[in-house]
Amino acid sequence: MPSTHVEKFVGAPRPNVFRALLDPRSVRTWMVPDGMTSRIHEFDPRVGGRFRISLTYDLPTEAGKTTAHTDTFHGVFARVVPDREVVQTVEFETEDPDLSGEMTVTYTLADAPGGTTVTARHENLPPGLSPTDNEVGFRMSLAKLADLTEHAAKH
C-alpha cells in the first residue's frame, strides 16, 4: 500500500515539539490542513489511549470522507517514546471501502542545529486516498506545527 513521507525542520527544542504532538489544544491547531476546521472528540495521549478527531471543510463545495463535508477518524496511540517518537494507528470513519482500513502515522523527532527535525510517515494509505493530496495536507499540518512551537519557544 502507498505511503507518504515528509520531513520538516522546526526551530524549537525537541521536548516542545513532542508536547505539541500530544496536547489536544495544540493538535486542534496544527493537525488540520488549510481550509479545514478541527474538532477533538476524544484524546488520551498514552500507549493504548484512543483519539477521535473530525476535520470539516470550510467551503461547502469540498466533499468529506465521513459526511458531506467532514473527515472523521479515530485511532490508538500505539507507541509513545518521550521526546523522540509518536506512533498512531488511524482509521477513517467511512462507508466507502476505498477509504477503509487501518493506517499507521509515525512522527519521529531528532535534534538538528537550532531546533528539531520532524519526520512524519503515513503508511498503508487506502486506495481511495491520494498520496499526493495526503502529502500536501501533511506539509500544511507540519508547517502549522512549526509555527506553533517556534512561536511558543520565543515567548
Side-chain angles (χ1 to χ4, degrees):
M1 292 200 147
S3 65
T4 305
H5 178 164
V6 176
E7 205 170 271
K8 174 77 177 159
F9 171 79
V10 177
R14 196 163 27 97
N16 296 21
V17 177
F18 181 77
R19 278 193 300 277
L21 295 176
L22 298 179
D23 175 65
R25 286 172 299 210
S26 297
V27 168
R28 189 171 52 80
T29 300
W30 71 262
M31 192 190 289
V32 55
D34 295 343
M36 299 185 90
T37 304
S38 176
R39 179 170 176 226
I40 309 281
H41 305 282
E42 178 181 8
F43 201 85
D44 183 6
R46 60 185 172 85
V47 173
R50 299 188 54 76
F51 60 89
R52 185 169 180 259
I53 300 171
S54 291
L55 304 176
T56 301
Y57 289 96
D58 296 337
L59 297 176
T61 55
E62 299 293 332
K65 295 171 186 66
T66 306
T67 65
H69 308 292
T70 300
D71 298 345
T72 299
F73 56 93
H74 65 270
V76 173
F77 287 91
R79 184 173 152 108
V80 177
V81 180
D83 299 335
R84 298 226 174 260
E85 184 180 58
V86 175
V87 180
Q88 305 165 323
T89 59
V90 181
E91 197 167 357
F92 285 116
E93 295 179 8
T94 182
E95 300 288 320
D96 185 343
D98 284 341
L99 294 170
S100 295
E102 188 175 274
M103 301 168 279
T104 302
V105 178
T106 303
Y107 299 96
T108 305
L109 309 179
D111 289 330
T116 304
T117 299
V118 179
T119 303
R121 290 190 60 80
H122 196 158
E123 299 172 288
N124 300 322
L125 299 178
L129 187 59
S130 158
T132 302
D133 292 348
N134 186 259
E135 182 176 332
V136 168
F138 233 160
R139 288 190 186 285
M140 286 179 195
S141 294
L142 292 180
K144 290 178 182 183
L145 174 65
D147 288 345
L148 177 73
T149 56
E150 289 167 0
H151 179 76
K154 293 177 185 172
H155 293 92

